[in-house]
Amino acid sequence: MNPARRTRLEREYALLGAILIAPTVLIFCAVIVYPLVSAIYLSLFQVFTPTLEGSWVGLSNYRELLGKEEFWTSLLNNIIWTVGTLSLQIIFGVAMALILHQNMWFRSLARSLILFPYFVSTVVAVLVWKWLFNDLYGIMNHLLIVSGLTDFPIDYLGTMPNAMISVILVGAWKYFPFVVIAVLARLQTIPDALYEAARIDGAGPISRFFDVTVPQLREVLVVIIMLRAIWDFKEFDMIYLLTGGGPITSTQTLPLLVYKEAFKLNQMGMASTYAVAMMAIMLVFMILYIRRTRSEEDT
Amino acid sequence: MADVILRDIVKSFGSVTALRGLNLQIEEGEFVSLLGPSGCGKTTTLRILAGLEFPTSGTISIGDRVVNDVAPAQRDIAMVFQSYALYPHMTVAENIAYPLKKRRIPRGERTVMVQKAAELLQLTELLRRKPRQLSGGQQQRVALGRALVRDPKVFLLDEPLSNLDAKLRSYMRVELVELHRRLGRTMIYVTHDQLEAMTMSDRIAVMDGGDLQQFAPPNTVYREPANRFVAGFIGTPAMNLVDGELVLSGGDWTFRTGNLSVPVPPLGENAAAGPAALGFRPEHVRFGEGPIEGTVQVVEQSGHENIVVAKFANDLRITGRAPAAQVWKPGEPVRIRIDTAEAHAFAAGPNGERLNRPRAAA
Ligand SMILES: Nc1ncnc2c1ncn2[C@@H]1O[C@H](COP(=O)(O)OP(=O)(O)OP(=O)(O)O)[C@@H](O)[C@H]1O
Ligand SMILES: [Mg+2]
């Protein structure tokens, strides 16, 4: 519309809109844009963390990053962790949601219990798992030895690939309830009549699952996978507390690398460079997510 | 030959009994409506026929075959749901083809059959659309298409028109009747809209409280309602029903209530003196002159006529139809005459049976 032609009322509405949006924009700038810009800014310096004093190095941090093996192994670890734990979350989450969607007498109890891992604080969860995994008094090793499956206690967190597998499993345990809840919510909105129509049309249970349930879950699964991929990719506390990135660096993901660089090696500039690189990688997911939601709105 | 037989069907949901011993015999090729107030068990009956619900007791036969233990897909029925239940992610063509696909009909044949169904229902232009890109009436036709593409023995339709606007509904009524004529298949049609039932059906099964009240052609249901429930349920405005008593004097029956006394048409063997009800339709009330005097209460104008509700002694309220030319005002005194030759007598109680002598087969 031609702005000059706007009526007074329209101009007033536009002004009101700007006033109402302003607080959000300010907060957005303060908590998102500022840290982002300052991370990029810091990545161009060599900074000593305790004093935050540094010198301009231009892009040399980035040059160093590209040649650094630890970055690439951390990235690989990060991908293994994300893909591994996310797949398990989706598989268990969807399976559990389908089970809990059935009419069972303990359904409502089970639905609340399932949320437990998701609600429990990461520190507590990790302590409990460390205790379960312990090679001296852990229940897992005890059961394995008693049942005769193994003669020696297994070192779950101190060797590879056990450590990565354990981290992936604990991550799956902790976050699959999110998938359960999101999928269950969607399942409950699928009209029964669709299943009944399919039964009359001659579809067996398997056909009904693939022809009615799966297509209805597709959208919600895309959203879940994107969100969880982003969240799992930047997971820090659980891995840090469980293995600290060890043994050596075999479960060290990028967030752990950033932390180590910033607070153990005191290289805030280099740490910011890693963080910016991480963000660039996650940007791919975010763009996919935004595209997806936009194309949904269009159709 | 009877095509669909329900014998002594009882259906309980826990403590709720939805059907109490329903018996129904539907002829091949018949268009039958299940009509009744909300909660009377129409949908339950249809779902039992479809095999989506199992009767607590009783037998269901479809085309010479007891189908109690037959899966819905093998019953040779098709159902059109009130919500249409189209598969949202499939196109119109895929929706219609789905039952064929599940019956392993080869793709080539499938396409031809879908095309034919689409032509019959004027859906050819829409075959590539998804259900959400269709209007209510178009979705409705797709649901019909999915039902008829399989050429089932019996069509089950649960209030298929209730989500459409009035104009489209009357259009689809005609379409459905036409479709029924063309296909010649048995159709069982659930509705709570008596206009639909009256205009479309060969026979209407009037239900109430999980029981069949009357199963007869529309005309019979209207002119010779089997009991007081049917009399009050069929017809708008509803039949006037007045409680009182029947008196026999010198071979002629008279109906009395308060100080009103009216002659009654000949009654059958089942009539007895005592408490009873008199029913007469609004069109059998004449306004202007007559023996009964009261006051006009409400006048509803509908253009071609006026519906007049008048109040008489002993709180008696009578509804009648008056020609549009007659102007009545609330509060005005009025005299009426009841055309008692067309009146019905019913035994006492909400489901009291009709007592009139059956019409001689003229
Ligand atoms: N799954 C169920 N569980 C418990 N009660 C049910 C169930 N389905 C139906 N009923 C009960 O059975 C009775 C008949 O229900 P039904 O759906 O057949 O009614 P209807 O005649 O189709 O009514 P409407 O015109 O409102 O659709 C009602 O009292 C209803 O509450
Ligand atoms: Mg119903």
Side-chain angles (χ1 to χ4, degrees):
Chain A
M1 190 194 301
N2 184 352
R5 287 266 201 81
R6 284 205 190 158
T7 65
R8 217 187 86 213
L9 196 60
E10 275 175 312
R11 281 198 306 274
E12 272 173 23
Y13 279 159
L15 182 64
L16 183 68
I19 291 170
L20 289 175
I21 285 177
T24 315
V25 171
L26 286 178
I27 292 172
F28 181 81
C29 287
V31 303
I32 295 181
V33 177
Y34 171 70
L36 193 67
V37 171
S38 75
I40 295 171
Y41 178 74
L42 276 175
S43 74
L44 304 174
F45 287 78
Q46 191 189 31
V47 184
F48 183 59
T49 309
T51 58
L52 282 183
E53 279 175 11
S55 53
W56 171 264
V57 293
L59 291 175
S60 86
N61 280 340
Y62 287 93
R63 226 170 290 128
E64 192 184 333
L65 172 141
L66 291 175
K68 198 157 190 173
E69 210 192 310
E70 197 179 2
F71 171 76
W72 295 107
T73 49
S74 297
L75 176 59
L76 182 65
N77 286 340
N78 212 340
I79 292 170
I80 293 172
W81 141 260
T82 305
V83 171
T85 198
L86 182 57
S87 319
L88 292 180
Q89 285 167 26
I90 297 292
I91 293 167
F92 287 125
V94 171
M96 189 55 80
L98 288 171
I99 293 170
L100 289 183
H101 187 54
Q102 306 302 311
N103 259 319
M104 298 178 305
W105 58 270
F106 60 92
R107 181 164 72 171
S108 47
L109 180 68
R111 280 185 187 175
S112 4
L113 283 181
I114 212 85
L115 281 175
F116 172 76
Y118 196 64
F119 284 155
V120 90
S121 116
T122 309
V123 182
V124 175
V126 167
L127 283 178
V128 170
W129 277 100
K130 276 191 146 170
W131 180 67
L132 294 175
F133 282 147
N134 192 287
D135 43 5
L136 293 179
Y137 45 82
I139 184 97
M140 307 263 273
N141 274 317
H142 175 74
L143 289 177
L144 285 179
I145 290 171
V146 166
S147 66
L149 285 171
T150 172
D151 294 332
F152 300 98
I154 292 171
D155 187 354
Y156 287 99
L157 299 171
T159 60
M160 279 302 279
N162 294 10
M164 182 56 92
I165 294 174
S166 301
V167 170
I168 287 175
L169 284 176
V170 174
W173 171 84
K174 178 115 180 61
Y175 296 115
F176 90 100
F178 175 81
V179 181
V180 175
I181 295 308
V183 171
L184 201 53
R186 184 66 186 89
L187 281 176
Q188 282 164 340
T189 64
I190 303 178
D192 283 341
L194 283 184
Y195 290 101
E196 294 176 343
R199 267 170 73 192
I200 291 176
D201 287 345
I206 295 168
S207 288
R208 290 204 292 275
F209 177 70
F210 283 106
D211 294 342
V212 179
T213 311
V214 171
Q216 299 265 318
L217 290 185
R218 191 165 289 148
E219 286 159 38
V220 77
L221 279 180
V222 168
V223 174
I224 293 173
I225 288 172
M226 305 245 207
L227 283 178
R228 282 253 43 108
I230 293 169
W231 292 342
D232 288 336
F233 195 83
K234 64 183 184 62
E235 177 71 29
F236 172 76
D237 47 359
M238 203 202 77
I239 303 174
Y240 184 75
L241 292 167
L242 208 51
T243 65
I248 328 246
T249 58
S250 31
T251 57
Q252 178 177 283
T253 55
L254 289 175
L256 271 74
L257 175 64
V258 173
Y259 179 81
K260 185 166 98 180
E261 196 71 33
F263 300 110
K264 289 197 177 140
L265 306 180
N266 285 329
Q267 292 300 321
M268 191 56 101
M270 195 61 209
S272 300
T273 311
Y274 289 140
V276 171
M278 228 181 104
M279 198 195 64
I281 296 164
M282 291 213 292
L283 210 57
V284 177
F285 288 112
M286 284 191 267
I287 290 170
L288 280 177
Y289 178 76
I290 291 168
R291 274 222 181 144
R292 175 80 200 180
T293 41
R294 201 174 283 156
S295 69
E296 216 104 281
E297 277 163 19
D298 289 346
T299 48
Chain B
M1 190 195 70
D3 198 31
V4 175
I5 303 176
L6 292 175
R7 190 162 288 137
D8 300 324
I9 300 290
V10 175
K11 176 64 187 178
S12 312
F13 296 102
S15 61
V16 182
T17 307
L19 297 175
R20 353 181 147 251
L22 183 71
N23 281 292
L24 207 57
Q25 285 208 11
I26 294 166
E27 303 298 319
E28 192 165 351
E30 217 178 354
F31 193 116
V32 167
S33 291
L34 304 183
L35 177 67
S38 196
C40 72
K42 307 180 293 286
T43 298
T44 306
T45 308
L46 209 65
R47 290 170 59 83
I48 283 177
L49 272 169
L52 297 173
E53 210 82 71
F54 297 100
T56 310
S57 68
T59 53
I60 313 142
S61 330
I62 295 175
D64 303 332
R65 179 166 74 125
V66 174
V67 293
N68 281 46
D69 295 322
V70 177
Q74 268 80 53
R75 287 191 178 194
D76 212 0
I77 50 111
M79 187 154 168
V80 176
F81 291 81
Q82 181 174 356
S83 57
Y84 313 138
L86 300 178
Y87 308 118
H89 59 286
M90 297 185 197
T91 62
V92 168
E94 287 165 342
N95 262 285
I96 298 177
Y98 190 72
L100 302 176
K101 196 170 152 197
K102 289 295 129 186
R103 280 172 175 70
R104 301 184 197 291
I105 289 174
R107 184 181 294 269
E109 255 174 83
R110 229 151 64 197
T111 318
V112 175
M113 293 163 86
V114 169
Q115 204 64 42
K116 249 177 73 184
E119 269 163 37
L120 188 65
L121 295 164
Q122 294 155 35
L123 288 169
T124 317
E125 306 290 303
L126 308 174
L127 282 175
R128 281 150 181 272
R129 295 224 201 143
K130 294 273 176 72
R132 64 164 182 274
Q133 299 165 316
L134 301 179
S135 73
Q138 291 168 336
Q139 290 185 29
Q140 217 275 319
R141 292 212 297 275
V142 177
L144 271 172
R146 190 175 62 183
L148 66 83
V149 72
R150 277 166 45 198
D151 194 20
K153 207 166 166 45
V154 180
F155 285 85
L156 306 173
L157 305 108
D158 191 358
E159 310 208 22
L161 307 186
S162 62
N163 290 344
L164 306 181
D165 66 47
K167 201 168 167 193
L168 196 52
R169 194 154 27 178
S170 65
Y171 172 74
M172 284 306 295
R173 267 203 324 256
V174 179
E175 294 283 288
L176 268 175
V177 170
E178 172 64 16
L179 194 67
H180 173 248
R181 201 184 54 75
R182 280 218 217 171
L183 298 173
R185 293 290 184 219
T186 309
M187 292 197 177
I188 304 178
Y189 185 95
V190 163
T191 180
H192 60 244
D193 181 336
Q194 47 169 302
L195 185 66
E196 280 176 18
M198 294 295 283
T199 52
M200 299 168 76
S201 326
D202 295 318
R203 281 196 288 172
I204 302 177
V206 184
M207 296 176 65
D208 183 40
D211 264 331
L212 185 65
Q213 303 294 326
Q214 186 169 13
F215 187 31
N219 235 327
T220 313
V221 170
Y222 190 79
R223 303 199 36 195
E224 294 166 52
N227 59 34
R228 180 171 174 164
F229 170 80
V230 178
F233 188 73
I234 305 281
T236 21
M239 185 187 279
N240 294 292
L241 286 159
V242 182
D243 285 307
E245 59 177 356
L246 282 173
V247 181
L248 181 62
S249 58
D252 285 331
W253 291 95
T254 314
F255 177 83
R256 282 208 193 124
T257 180
N259 51 8
L260 185 71
S261 175
V262 289
V264 175
L267 299 186
E269 305 285 308
N270 52 357
L278 184 75
F280 48 95
R281 297 218 175 263
E283 53 265 41
H284 299 133
V285 176
R286 308 244 171 278
F287 285 86
E289 60 193 82
I292 315 169
E293 193 179 345
T295 327
V296 174
Q297 249 192 334
V298 182
V299 182
E300 287 176 5
Q301 300 183 333
S302 71
H304 67 288
E305 65 176 9
N306 293 333
I307 307 294
V308 182
V309 182
K311 198 174 162 191
F312 300 88
N314 302 320
D315 254 355
L316 186 61
R317 296 178 69 186
I318 291 175
T319 308
R321 294 174 191 270
Q326 281 184 16
V327 184
W328 294 102
K329 291 209 175 63
E332 238 180 346
V334 66
R335 301 186 76 86
I336 64 164
R337 175 189 302 283
I338 298 168
D339 191 352
T340 51
E342 299 288 343
H344 313 266
F346 298 102
N351 288 39
E353 60 173 338
R354 185 169 180 261
L355 303 173
N356 293 43
R357 186 178 297 166
R359 268 167 212 267

